[in-house]
Amino acid sequence: MDEKLPIKRLSRLTWLQAVIIGFIFYLVVYNSGTLSHIIPFTLLTTSGILLVGHADICLMIVLSKYFSIRSKKFSTYRVLLTYPVSVLIYLLLRPCFSYVSGKAWSFWDAGSFFAFVGSGIVINTLIMLLHNSVLLYEHKLHADLELSRLKTANAEATNLLLKQQIQPHFLFNALNTLKALYHKDVHTADTYIVHMANFLRASIYHHASRISTLEDEVELLCDYLEMQRIRFGKALDCTIMLPEETLKNYYLPSFSLQPLLENAIKHNDFTQEAPLRVQISQKDEWLIMSNNLQKKKVKVSSTNYGLANLAERYHLWSGDEVIIKEDQSSFSVSIKLLKNEYSNH
């Protein structure tokens, strides 16, 4: 995005500078008592500053059409043009000052000539310094905005990349399960395919979404849950205790809940006699997924597609951390619910 001139701010600063210098000049002349026409003389001084200041702004507008305002050419041509213009403005005002002061004016008066040339140079230097401070401030704002946009774009790209890791991993496991089911029970395998299709359809639909409503996330989880219940039967017991109001009014990063359930299944031993009990509940503005801890005796290698993936994506999106608690008998993950679709962004 091209950096634009802050024309309004430059103009306001020029007016402010002209008024302040004009007022100071008025006080100095008034106290000296050497000038009979104080107000006209002050108005001319203020007008000179305004003309020089707005001449600088107009030149910057013209130059910005051909050069970037941060380029050396822009700065060089600005200096080369503004000083002659400001000197010319003050030389044109020279007869007006002589008329107001009541003195005879002569074009060949060298002292007066150099005095007005010097005034034009001094005033132009002051104005350029003030205008440069505005340009520097605007450049900083522009740079900060660009940095923020780059960080957002990087976070979105990273988020999408992490989400893309989940789907191939899930599909690989699902197809292996489906293959085993068709050798045992074709009807159950057909039911499994229905839930698998629903899950994949939802994942494709939300592929580009950074976040989803909690209701959509729970629906996605339910399809995954039904697939796992077909696989494990009563050995897997999952209870969802979330009020309707929470489901409709809160959000989570897409694919937040399914990896948590998958993580619990992956790292625990469970049978029908000793089932894995998973509970999803809400406490204040936190969603908590907890399960009884029955760790597998054989350590399972981690592919970083589950909990670590979610923690990184959640931090990228909301800036908050996922809270993980573990004791001898239970394991829980707490995620702060997002209040609206644009929370923290």
Side-chain angles (χ1 to χ4, degrees), residues 174-218:
L175 290 174
N176 281 340
T177 302
L178 186 61
K179 179 182 177 182
L181 283 173
Y182 265 112
H183 288 292
K184 297 179 180 179
D185 187 341
V186 175
H187 178 71
T188 303
D190 288 340
T191 304
Y192 188 90
I193 286 180
V194 171
H195 290 294
M196 178 179 170
N198 289 339
F199 181 87
L200 291 175
R201 186 184 302 110
S203 66
I204 292 171
Y205 178 77
H206 294 294
H207 178 73
S209 300
R210 293 179 298 230
I211 65 172
S212 304
T213 63
L214 183 56
E215 186 175 31
D216 288 340
E217 278 296 295
V218 169

Side-chain angles (χ1 to χ4, degrees), residues 231-236 270-277:
R231 180 180 176 187
F232 298 110
K234 294 182 179 180
L236 176 61
F270 49 96
T271 62
Q272 291 189 11
E273 292 74 23
L276 175 65
R277 301 186 186 279

Side-chain angles (χ1 to χ4, degrees), residues 102-117:
K103 296 180 180 179
W105 175 77
S106 173
F107 180 80
W108 305 107
D109 185 355
S112 173
F113 177 82
F114 286 112
F116 277 88
V117 169

Side-chain angles (χ1 to χ4, degrees), residues 244-291:
E244 189 70 19
E245 182 181 356
T246 297
L247 292 173
K248 293 186 178 297
N249 296 325
Y250 285 92
Y251 297 79
L252 282 178
S254 299
F255 296 98
S256 294
L257 300 183
Q258 180 267 337
L260 293 181
L261 180 57
E262 183 179 12
N263 186 73
I265 293 172
K266 178 180 179 180
H267 293 282
N268 287 279
D269 277 322
F270 49 96
T271 62
Q272 291 189 11
E273 292 74 23
L276 175 65
R277 301 186 186 279
V278 180
Q279 185 178 83
I280 303 173
S281 59
Q282 178 188 3
K283 183 177 181 181
D284 297 325
E285 293 185 353
W286 290 83
L287 181 141
I288 303 171
M289 181 180 285
S290 59
N291 61 270

Side-chain angles (χ1 to χ4, degrees), residues 11 19 26 35 123 152 156 180 184 210 217 225 227-228 241 301 318 324 337:
S11 180
V19 170
Y26 172 82
L35 191 63
I123 293 299
T152 300
E156 290 176 0
K184 297 179 180 179
R210 293 179 298 230
E217 278 296 295
L225 178 60
M227 293 167 62
Q228 301 311 311
M241 300 184 297
S301 60
S318 70
I324 302 170
L337 295 166

Side-chain angles (χ1 to χ4, degrees), residues 118-137:
S119 297
I121 292 173
V122 170
I123 293 299
N124 189 68
T125 301
L126 290 174
I127 287 174
M128 286 193 68
L129 288 173
L130 286 173
H131 285 180
N132 286 341
S133 68
V134 173
L135 294 177
L136 184 63
Y137 176 73

